[in-house]
Amino acid sequence: MAQLIGKYQLERNENLDGYFKALGVPFVARKMMAATTPVVEISLNDHIWTIKTSTMIRTTELHIKAGEEYEEVMPSGDVLKSVLSVEDDRLVAVSKVPDGSQTTRTYSIIDAGMLLTLVHEKSGETAKRYFKRLSQ
């Protein structure tokens, strides 16, 4: 898992609007999120994963112990109940969304950096966010 630890800059998205639309995110918010180029920093210290996501609009920092439920507050104010697991060389976060459905976010290493795959289980909508590695 050490290979996933590092700092990454978003390079491009695939189907991000379709994914957020399936989640019920309003049009203007979807367009704003698609226009940002977040920096994601992933670290591990004493079995606690930290995932920090920074944009010009906001910064979030999650401190997560694999296998334990944690809460995430979305820009809309919605609270997601999530659980992070380590699977092979990937981090997989499964979240319950307010409508009762489930989303999965998978952080994995690719040649150029990191791939964040977002899946909305109910609709089947999948988005991919490609990040280049900035540092380890």
Side-chain angles (χ1 to χ4, degrees):
M1 279 312 304
Q3 62 192 19
L4 193 56
I5 294 169
K7 188 174 185 177
Y8 305 89
Q9 173 77 55
L10 180 70
E11 286 192 308
R12 65 185 172 92
N13 296 311
E14 289 178 7
N15 195 38
L16 192 63
D17 188 66
Y19 171 79
F20 283 134
K21 189 174 182 179
L23 286 173
V25 176
F27 178 79
V28 172
R30 291 195 321 261
K31 296 305 174 193
M32 286 178 57
M33 286 188 280
T36 64
T37 54
V39 172
V40 175
E41 296 177 66
I42 299 175
S43 60
L44 176 63
N45 188 16
D46 287 333
H47 306 288
I48 303 293
W49 288 95
T50 299
I51 302 174
K52 181 179 179 182
T53 305
S54 304
T55 68
M56 291 182 67
I57 299 169
R58 79 180 215 159
T59 297
T60 61
E61 190 166 332
L62 300 170
H63 303 280
I64 311 159
K65 187 170 186 178
E68 293 185 4
E69 187 175 80
Y70 63 97
E71 292 185 348
E72 296 179 68
V73 179
M74 298 291 98
S76 63
D78 291 329
V79 177
L80 305 183
K81 303 271 187 184
S82 305
V83 176
L84 182 77
S85 62
V86 179
E87 299 178 10
D88 300 319
D89 291 332
R90 302 172 300 152
L91 292 178
V92 179
V94 177
S95 303
K96 300 256 190 278
V97 294
D99 72 359
S101 63
Q102 180 173 289
T103 64
T104 303
R105 286 168 291 160
T106 303
Y107 300 82
S108 55
I109 290 297
I110 57 174
D111 290 338
M114 179 183 67
L115 172 62
L116 173 56
T117 304
L118 307 154
V119 179
H120 182 248
E121 305 294 338
K122 186 176 180 180
S123 68
E125 285 288 340
T126 298
K128 292 183 178 181
R129 305 192 88 184
Y130 294 86
F131 293 81
K132 68 179 176 181
R133 183 181 287 276
L134 299 176
S135 65
Q136 287 186 302

Coordinates of all heavy atoms in Angstrom, one line a residue, residues 59-124:
T59 N -11.5 22.6 1.3 CA -10.5 21.5 1.6 C -11.2 20.6 2.6 O -11.8 21.0 3.6 CB -9.2 22.1 2.2 OG1 -8.6 22.9 1.2 CG2 -8.3 20.9 2.6
T60 N -11.1 19.3 2.4 CA -11.6 18.3 3.3 C -10.5 17.4 3.7 O -9.6 17.1 2.9 CB -12.8 17.4 2.7 OG1 -12.3 16.7 1.6 CG2 -14.0 18.3 2.4
E61 N -10.5 16.9 4.9 CA -9.5 16.0 5.4 C -10.2 15.0 6.3 O -10.8 15.2 7.3 CB -8.4 16.8 6.2 CG -7.2 15.9 6.6 CD -6.1 16.8 7.1 OE1 -6.0 18.0 6.7 OE2 -5.3 16.2 7.9
L62 N -10.0 13.7 5.8 CA -10.6 12.6 6.5 C -9.5 11.8 7.2 O -8.5 11.5 6.6 CB -11.4 11.7 5.5 CG -12.5 12.3 4.8 CD1 -13.0 11.4 3.6 CD2 -13.7 12.7 5.7
H63 N -9.8 11.4 8.4 CA -8.9 10.5 9.1 C -9.7 9.2 9.4 O -10.7 9.2 10.1 CB -8.4 11.1 10.4 CG -7.8 12.5 10.2 ND1 -6.5 12.6 9.8 CD2 -8.2 13.7 10.3 CE1 -6.1 13.8 9.7 NE2 -7.2 14.6 9.9
I64 N -9.2 8.1 8.8 CA -10.0 6.9 8.7 C -9.2 5.7 9.2 O -8.1 5.4 8.7 CB -10.5 6.7 7.3 CG1 -11.1 7.9 6.7 CG2 -11.5 5.5 7.2 CD1 -11.2 7.9 5.2
K65 N -9.8 4.9 10.0 CA -9.3 3.6 10.3 C -10.0 2.5 9.5 O -11.3 2.5 9.6 CB -9.4 3.3 11.8 CG -8.7 2.0 12.2 CD -8.6 1.9 13.7 CE -7.7 0.7 14.1 NZ -7.6 0.5 15.5
A66 N -9.3 1.7 8.7 CA -9.9 0.7 7.9 C -10.8 -0.2 8.7 O -10.5 -0.6 9.8 CB -8.9 -0.1 7.1
G67 N -12.0 -0.4 8.1 CA -13.0 -1.3 8.7 C -13.9 -0.6 9.7 O -14.9 -1.2 10.2
E68 N -13.7 0.6 10.1 CA -14.6 1.3 11.0 C -15.4 2.4 10.3 O -14.9 3.1 9.4 CB -13.7 2.0 12.1 CG -13.0 1.0 13.0 CD -12.3 1.7 14.2 OE1 -12.4 3.0 14.3 OE2 -11.7 1.0 14.9
E69 N -16.7 2.5 10.7 CA -17.5 3.5 10.0 C -17.1 4.9 10.4 O -16.7 5.2 11.5 CB -19.0 3.3 10.5 CG -20.0 4.2 9.8 CD -21.4 3.9 10.2 OE1 -21.8 4.4 11.2 OE2 -22.1 3.2 9.4
Y70 N -17.2 5.8 9.4 CA -16.9 7.2 9.6 C -17.9 8.0 8.8 O -18.6 7.5 8.0 CB -15.4 7.6 9.1 CG -15.2 7.4 7.7 CD1 -15.3 8.4 6.8 CD2 -14.9 6.1 7.2 CE1 -15.0 8.2 5.4 CE2 -14.6 5.9 5.8 CZ -14.7 7.0 4.9 OH -14.4 6.8 3.6
E71 N -18.0 9.3 9.1 CA -19.0 10.2 8.5 C -18.2 11.2 7.6 O -17.2 11.7 8.0 CB -19.8 10.9 9.5 CG -20.8 10.0 10.3 CD -21.7 10.8 11.2 OE1 -21.5 12.0 11.5 OE2 -22.6 10.2 11.7
E72 N -18.9 11.5 6.5 CA -18.4 12.6 5.6 C -19.5 13.6 5.4 O -20.6 13.1 5.1 CB -18.0 12.0 4.2 CG -16.9 11.0 4.3 CD -16.6 10.5 2.9 OE1 -16.1 11.2 2.0 OE2 -16.8 9.3 2.7
V73 N -19.2 14.8 5.5 CA -20.2 15.9 5.2 C -20.0 16.4 3.8 O -18.9 16.9 3.5 CB -20.1 17.0 6.2 CG1 -21.2 18.1 5.9 CG2 -20.3 16.5 7.6
M74 N -21.0 16.3 3.0 CA -20.9 16.7 1.6 C -21.2 18.2 1.5 O -21.7 18.8 2.4 CB -22.0 16.0 0.7 CG -21.8 14.5 0.7 SD -20.3 14.0 -0.3 CE -19.1 13.7 1.0
P75 N -20.8 18.9 0.4 CA -21.0 20.3 0.3 C -22.5 20.7 0.4 O -22.8 21.8 0.9 CB -20.5 20.7 -1.2 CG -19.5 19.6 -1.4 CD -20.0 18.4 -0.7
S76 N -23.4 19.8 0.1 CA -24.8 20.0 0.3 C -25.3 19.9 1.7 O -26.4 20.3 2.0 CB -25.6 18.9 -0.5 OG -25.3 17.6 0.1
G77 N -24.4 19.5 2.6 CA -24.8 19.3 4.0 C -25.2 17.9 4.3 O -25.3 17.5 5.5
D78 N -25.4 17.0 3.3 CA -25.7 15.6 3.5 C -24.6 14.9 4.2 O -23.4 15.2 3.9 CB -26.0 14.9 2.2 CG -27.3 15.4 1.5 OD1 -28.2 15.8 2.2 OD2 -27.4 15.4 0.3
V79 N -24.9 14.0 5.1 CA -23.9 13.2 5.8 C -23.9 11.8 5.2 O -24.9 11.1 5.2 CB -24.1 13.2 7.3 CG1 -23.1 12.3 8.0 CG2 -24.1 14.6 7.8
L80 N -22.7 11.3 4.8 CA -22.6 10.0 4.3 C -22.0 9.1 5.4 O -21.0 9.5 6.1 CB -21.7 9.9 3.1 CG -22.0 10.7 1.9 CD1 -21.0 10.5 0.8 CD2 -23.4 10.5 1.4
K81 N -22.5 7.9 5.6 CA -21.9 6.9 6.5 C -21.0 6.0 5.6 O -21.5 5.4 4.6 CB -22.9 6.1 7.2 CG -23.9 6.9 8.0 CD -23.4 7.1 9.4 CE -24.5 7.8 10.2 NZ -24.1 8.1 11.5
S82 N -19.7 5.9 5.9 CA -18.8 5.2 5.0 C -17.9 4.2 5.8 O -17.7 4.4 7.0 CB -17.9 6.2 4.3 OG -18.7 7.2 3.6
V83 N -17.4 3.3 5.1 CA -16.4 2.3 5.6 C -15.3 2.2 4.6 O -15.6 2.0 3.4 CB -17.0 1.0 5.9 CG1 -16.0 0.0 6.4 CG2 -18.1 1.1 7.0
L84 N -14.1 2.3 5.0 CA -12.9 2.1 4.1 C -12.3 0.8 4.3 O -12.1 0.3 5.5 CB -11.9 3.2 4.5 CG -10.6 3.2 3.6 CD1 -10.9 3.9 2.2 CD2 -9.5 4.0 4.3
S85 N -11.9 0.1 3.2 CA -11.2 -1.1 3.3 C -10.0 -1.1 2.4 O -9.9 -0.3 1.5 CB -12.1 -2.3 2.9 OG -12.5 -2.2 1.6
V86 N -9.0 -1.9 2.8 CA -7.8 -2.0 2.0 C -7.9 -3.4 1.2 O -8.0 -4.4 1.8 CB -6.5 -2.0 2.8 CG1 -5.3 -2.2 2.0 CG2 -6.5 -0.8 3.7
E87 N -7.9 -3.3 -0.1 CA -8.1 -4.5 -1.0 C -7.0 -4.5 -2.0 O -6.9 -3.7 -2.8 CB -9.5 -4.5 -1.7 CG -10.6 -4.5 -0.7 CD -12.0 -4.4 -1.4 OE1 -12.0 -4.5 -2.6 OE2 -13.0 -4.2 -0.7
D88 N -6.1 -5.5 -1.8 CA -4.9 -5.6 -2.6 C -4.1 -4.3 -2.5 O -3.8 -3.9 -1.4 CB -5.2 -5.9 -4.1 CG -6.0 -7.3 -4.2 OD1 -5.6 -8.2 -3.5 OD2 -6.9 -7.3 -5.0
D89 N -3.9 -3.6 -3.6 CA -3.2 -2.3 -3.5 C -4.1 -1.1 -3.7 O -3.7 -0.1 -4.3 CB -2.0 -2.3 -4.6 CG -0.9 -3.3 -4.2 OD1 -0.7 -3.5 -3.0 OD2 -0.3 -3.8 -5.1
R90 N -5.3 -1.3 -3.2 CA -6.3 -0.2 -3.4 C -7.0 0.1 -2.1 O -7.1 -0.7 -1.2 CB -7.4 -0.7 -4.4 CG -6.9 -1.1 -5.8 CD -8.0 -1.7 -6.6 NE -8.5 -2.9 -6.0 CZ -9.7 -3.4 -6.1 NH1 -10.6 -2.8 -6.9 NH2 -10.1 -4.5 -5.5
L91 N -7.5 1.4 -2.0 CA -8.4 1.8 -0.9 C -9.8 1.8 -1.5 O -10.0 2.4 -2.6 CB -8.0 3.2 -0.4 CG -6.7 3.3 0.3 CD1 -6.4 4.7 0.7 CD2 -6.6 2.4 1.5
V92 N -10.7 1.2 -0.8 CA -12.1 1.2 -1.3 C -13.0 1.7 -0.2 O -13.0 1.2 0.9 CB -12.5 -0.3 -1.7 CG1 -14.0 -0.3 -2.1 CG2 -11.6 -0.9 -2.7
A93 N -13.7 2.8 -0.5 CA -14.6 3.4 0.4 C -16.1 3.2 -0.1 O -16.4 3.5 -1.2 CB -14.4 4.9 0.5
V94 N -16.9 2.5 0.8 CA -18.3 2.3 0.5 C -19.1 3.2 1.3 O -18.9 3.2 2.6 CB -18.6 0.8 0.7 CG1 -20.1 0.5 0.4 CG2 -17.8 -0.1 -0.2
S95 N -20.0 4.0 0.7 CA -20.8 5.0 1.4 C -22.3 4.7 1.2 O -22.7 4.4 0.1 CB -20.4 6.4 0.9 OG -19.1 6.6 1.1
K96 N -23.1 5.0 2.2 CA -24.5 5.0 2.1 C -24.9 6.4 1.9 O -24.5 7.3 2.6 CB -25.2 4.5 3.4 CG -24.8 3.1 3.8 CD -25.9 2.1 3.5 CE -25.6 0.8 4.0 NZ -24.8 -0.1 3.2
V97 N -25.7 6.7 0.8 CA -26.1 8.1 0.5 C -27.5 8.3 1.0 O -28.2 7.3 1.3 CB -26.0 8.3 -1.0 CG1 -24.5 8.3 -1.5 CG2 -26.8 7.4 -1.9
P98 N -27.9 9.6 1.1 CA -29.2 9.9 1.8 C -30.4 9.1 1.2 O -31.4 8.9 1.9 CB -29.4 11.4 1.6 CG -27.9 11.9 1.6 CD -27.2 10.8 0.8
D99 N -30.4 8.8 -0.1 CA -31.6 8.1 -0.7 C -31.6 6.6 -0.4 O -32.4 5.9 -0.9 CB -31.7 8.4 -2.2 CG -30.6 7.6 -3.0 OD1 -29.8 6.9 -2.4 OD2 -30.6 7.7 -4.2
G100 N -30.6 6.2 0.4 CA -30.6 4.8 0.8 C -29.7 3.9 -0.1 O -29.5 2.7 0.2
S101 N -29.2 4.5 -1.2 CA -28.4 3.7 -2.1 C -26.9 3.7 -1.6 O -26.6 4.3 -0.6 CB -28.5 4.2 -3.5 OG -28.1 5.5 -3.6
Q102 N -26.1 3.2 -2.4 CA -24.7 3.0 -2.0 C -23.8 3.5 -3.1 O -24.1 3.3 -4.3 CB -24.4 1.6 -1.7 CG -23.1 1.2 -1.3 CD -23.0 -0.3 -0.9 OE1 -23.6 -0.7 0.1 NE2 -22.4 -1.1 -1.7
T103 N -22.6 4.1 -2.8 CA -21.6 4.5 -3.7 C -20.3 3.8 -3.3 O -20.1 3.6 -2.1 CB -21.4 6.0 -3.8 OG1 -20.9 6.5 -2.6 CG2 -22.6 6.7 -4.2
T104 N -19.4 3.6 -4.3 CA -18.1 3.0 -4.0 C -17.1 3.9 -4.7 O -17.2 4.3 -5.8 CB -18.0 1.6 -4.5 OG1 -19.0 0.8 -4.0 CG2 -16.7 1.0 -4.2
R105 N -16.1 4.3 -3.9 CA -14.9 5.0 -4.4 C -13.7 4.1 -4.3 O -13.4 3.7 -3.2 CB -14.7 6.3 -3.6 CG -15.7 7.4 -4.0 CD -15.7 8.5 -3.0 NE -16.1 8.0 -1.7 CZ -15.9 8.5 -0.5 NH1 -15.2 9.6 -0.4 NH2 -16.4 7.9 0.6
T106 N -13.0 3.9 -5.4 CA -11.8 3.1 -5.3 C -10.6 3.9 -5.8 O -10.6 4.5 -6.8 CB -11.9 1.9 -6.3 OG1 -13.1 1.2 -5.9 CG2 -10.7 1.0 -6.2
Y107 N -9.6 4.0 -4.9 CA -8.3 4.7 -5.1 C -7.3 3.6 -5.5 O -7.0 2.7 -4.7 CB -7.8 5.4 -3.9 CG -8.8 6.5 -3.3 CD1 -9.8 6.1 -2.5 CD2 -8.6 7.8 -3.6 CE1 -10.7 7.1 -2.0 CE2 -9.4 8.8 -3.1 CZ -10.5 8.4 -2.3 OH -11.3 9.4 -1.8
S108 N -6.8 3.7 -6.7 CA -5.8 2.7 -7.2 C -4.7 3.4 -8.0 O -4.8 4.5 -8.5 CB -6.5 1.6 -8.1 OG -7.2 2.2 -9.1
I109 N -3.5 2.7 -8.0 CA -2.3 3.2 -8.7 C -2.4 2.8 -10.2 O -2.8 1.7 -10.5 CB -1.1 2.6 -8.1 CG1 -0.8 3.2 -6.7 CG2 0.2 2.9 -8.9 CD1 -0.6 4.7 -6.7
I110 N -2.1 3.8 -11.0 CA -1.9 3.5 -12.5 C -0.5 4.1 -12.8 O 0.1 4.8 -12.0 CB -3.0 4.2 -13.3 CG1 -3.1 5.7 -13.1 CG2 -4.4 3.5 -13.0 CD1 -4.1 6.4 -13.9
D111 N -0.1 3.8 -14.0 CA 1.2 4.2 -14.5 C 1.5 5.7 -14.2 O 2.6 6.0 -13.7 CB 1.4 3.9 -16.0 CG 1.5 2.4 -16.2 OD1 1.9 1.6 -15.3 OD2 1.3 2.0 -17.4
A112 N 0.6 6.5 -14.6 CA 0.9 8.0 -14.5 C 0.6 8.6 -13.1 O 0.9 9.7 -12.8 CB 0.1 8.7 -15.5
G113 N 0.0 7.8 -12.2 CA -0.4 8.3 -10.9 C -1.5 7.5 -10.2 O -1.3 6.4 -9.9
M114 N -2.7 8.1 -10.1 CA -3.7 7.5 -9.3 C -5.0 7.6 -10.1 O -5.3 8.6 -10.8 CB -3.9 8.1 -8.0 CG -5.1 7.5 -7.2 SD -5.4 8.4 -5.6 CE -6.0 10.0 -6.1
L115 N -5.9 6.6 -10.0 CA -7.2 6.6 -10.6 C -8.2 6.5 -9.5 O -8.1 5.6 -8.6 CB -7.4 5.4 -11.6 CG -8.8 5.1 -12.1 CD1 -9.3 6.3 -12.9 CD2 -8.8 3.8 -12.9
L116 N -9.2 7.4 -9.4 CA -10.3 7.3 -8.5 C -11.5 7.0 -9.3 O -11.9 7.7 -10.2 CB -10.5 8.7 -7.8 CG -11.7 8.9 -6.9 CD1 -11.7 7.8 -5.8 CD2 -11.8 10.3 -6.4
T117 N -12.0 5.8 -9.0 CA -13.2 5.3 -9.7 C -14.4 5.4 -8.8 O -14.4 5.0 -7.6 CB -13.1 3.8 -10.1 OG1 -11.9 3.7 -10.9 CG2 -14.3 3.3 -10.9
L118 N -15.5 6.1 -9.3 CA -16.7 6.4 -8.5 C -17.8 5.6 -9.1 O -18.1 5.7 -10.3 CB -17.0 7.9 -8.5 CG -15.9 8.8 -8.1 CD1 -16.0 10.1 -8.8 CD2 -15.8 8.9 -6.6
V119 N -18.5 4.8 -8.3 CA -19.7 4.0 -8.8 C -20.9 4.2 -8.0 O -20.8 4.1 -6.7 CB -19.3 2.5 -8.8 CG1 -20.5 1.7 -9.3 CG2 -18.1 2.2 -9.6
H120 N -22.0 4.6 -8.6 CA -23.3 4.7 -7.9 C -24.0 3.4 -8.2 O -24.4 3.1 -9.4 CB -24.1 5.9 -8.5 CG -25.4 6.1 -7.8 ND1 -26.6 5.9 -8.5 CD2 -25.7 6.5 -6.6 CE1 -27.6 6.2 -7.7 NE2 -27.1 6.6 -6.5
E121 N -24.1 2.6 -7.2 CA -24.6 1.2 -7.4 C -26.1 1.2 -8.0 O -26.3 0.4 -8.8 CB -24.6 0.5 -6.0 CG -23.2 0.4 -5.4 CD -22.2 -0.3 -6.1 OE1 -22.5 -1.2 -6.9 OE2 -21.0 -0.1 -5.9
K122 N -27.0 2.0 -7.5 CA -28.4 2.0 -7.9 C -28.5 2.2 -9.4 O -29.3 1.6 -10.1 CB -29.2 3.0 -7.1 CG -30.7 3.0 -7.3 CD -31.4 3.9 -6.4 CE -32.8 3.9 -6.6 NZ -33.5 4.9 -5.7
S123 N -27.8 3.3 -9.9 CA -28.0 3.6 -11.3 C -27.0 3.0 -12.2 O -27.1 2.9 -13.5 CB -27.8 5.2 -11.5 OG -26.5 5.5 -11.2
G124 N -25.9 2.5 -11.6 CA -24.8 1.9 -12.4 C -23.9 3.0 -13.0 O -22.9 2.6 -13.7

